[in-house]
């Protein structure tokens, strides 16, 4: 058994309260639900009971919040989980929401990765990979999507051309351009090919 050490009204939503178990925040529920189940500080309760209460009373609201969160932009599973945790939902409610969203194909890391890759230009595979990891996409989804694309030296050359605009094609500037391509996530060979297409290449690269 665990102890409810405090129940505090939420600042951003006066109709909800935060439940603290053994001195730590555990979940959020509606005030009327807390009253209905006679929850109070000092009460001994199983965490599974709180999970059950929240799942029974707030699963529909949790789905609504998740759908609203998705309406702005696609989300990775990690981004959605972090959002629901921040909202104070228990693992039971989060699992319920995920089950529904995945069933209707509204939460799919591979789809997210593919959409992200298609929406971004001027970045190499390494940069795209780093971006997707930062957004919490699953490793297997990232690998599958990136394996489908060939890093284009034409795109790297276009990035280099933009970078070199207004600069003299000196060895120093070309080297800086080469490093710039690497910083944008293009591979060494791709960056070198881009330099070759620019008409200026030094075997030192």
């Amino acid at each position: 058994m665990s102890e409810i050490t405090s129940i505090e009204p939420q600042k951003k939503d006066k109709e909800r309260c935060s439940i603290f178990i053994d001195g730590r925040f555990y979940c959020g529920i509606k005030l009327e639900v807390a009253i209905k189940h006679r929850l109070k500080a000092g009460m001994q309760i199983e965490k599974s009971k709180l999970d059950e209460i929240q799942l029974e009373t707030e699963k529909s609201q949790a789905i609504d919040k998740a759908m609203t969160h998705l309406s702005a932009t696609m989300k990775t599973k990690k981004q959605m989980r972090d959002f629901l945790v921040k909202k104070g939902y228990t693992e039971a409610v989060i699992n319920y929401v995920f089950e529904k969203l995945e069933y209707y194909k509204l939460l799919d890391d591979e789809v997210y990765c593919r959409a992200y890759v298609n929406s971004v230009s001027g970045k190499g595979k390494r940069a795209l990979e780093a971006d997707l990891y930062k957004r919490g996409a699953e490793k297997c989804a990232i690998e599958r999507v990136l394996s489908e694309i060939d890093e284009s030296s034409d795109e790297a050359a276009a990035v280099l051309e933009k970078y070199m605009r207004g600069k003299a094609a000196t060895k120093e500037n070309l080297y800086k351009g080469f490093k710039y391509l690497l910083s944008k996530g293009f591979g060494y060979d791709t960056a070198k090919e881009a330099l070759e297409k620019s008409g200026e290449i030094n075997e030192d690269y």
Side-chain angles (χ1 to χ4, degrees), residues 161-190:
E161 180 183 0
K162 186 175 181 181
Y163 173 83
M164 292 294 294
R165 199 167 294 159
K167 299 181 178 71
T170 63
K171 179 179 179 180
E172 182 182 1
N173 284 337
L174 286 170
Y175 181 63
K176 288 180 179 178
F178 179 76
K179 289 177 64 178
Y180 179 73
L181 290 178
L182 297 181
S183 74
K184 298 296 286 185
F186 291 101
Y188 178 89
D189 290 339
T190 304

Side-chain angles (χ1 to χ4, degrees), residues 171-172 174-175 178 182 188 192 195 200-205:
K171 179 179 179 180
E172 182 182 1
L174 286 170
Y175 181 63
F178 179 76
L182 297 181
Y188 178 89
K192 188 173 180 179
L195 276 178
E200 301 285 344
I201 183 68
N202 187 298
E203 293 302 324
D204 293 337
Y205 298 133

Side-chain angles (χ1 to χ4, degrees), residues 109 113 129 132-133 136-146:
D109 276 12
C113 291
E129 181 181 36
L132 290 170
Y133 272 118
E138 296 174 332
K139 181 179 179 180
C140 57
I142 295 173
E143 291 176 346
R144 279 197 297 268
V145 171
L146 292 183

Side-chain angles (χ1 to χ4, degrees), residues 67-79:
M67 290 297 293
T68 299
H69 193 49
L70 279 172
S71 66
T73 58
M74 294 175 66
K75 301 293 188 296
T76 63
K77 293 178 182 179
K78 183 179 185 305
Q79 288 172 334

Side-chain angles (χ1 to χ4, degrees), residues 3-39:
E3 181 181 339
I4 298 178
T5 46
S6 66
I7 300 177
E8 301 176 7
Q10 294 185 356
K11 294 180 180 179
K12 294 184 178 180
D13 188 344
K14 300 301 183 182
E15 294 183 357
R16 292 175 63 78
C17 61
S18 297
I19 306 293
F20 290 80
I21 295 291
D22 299 328
R24 294 185 177 184
F25 173 77
Y26 185 71
C27 69
I29 59 174
K30 294 180 181 179
L31 279 170
E32 61 183 74
V33 173
I35 294 171
K36 175 183 176 181
H37 289 272
R38 299 179 181 178
L39 302 179

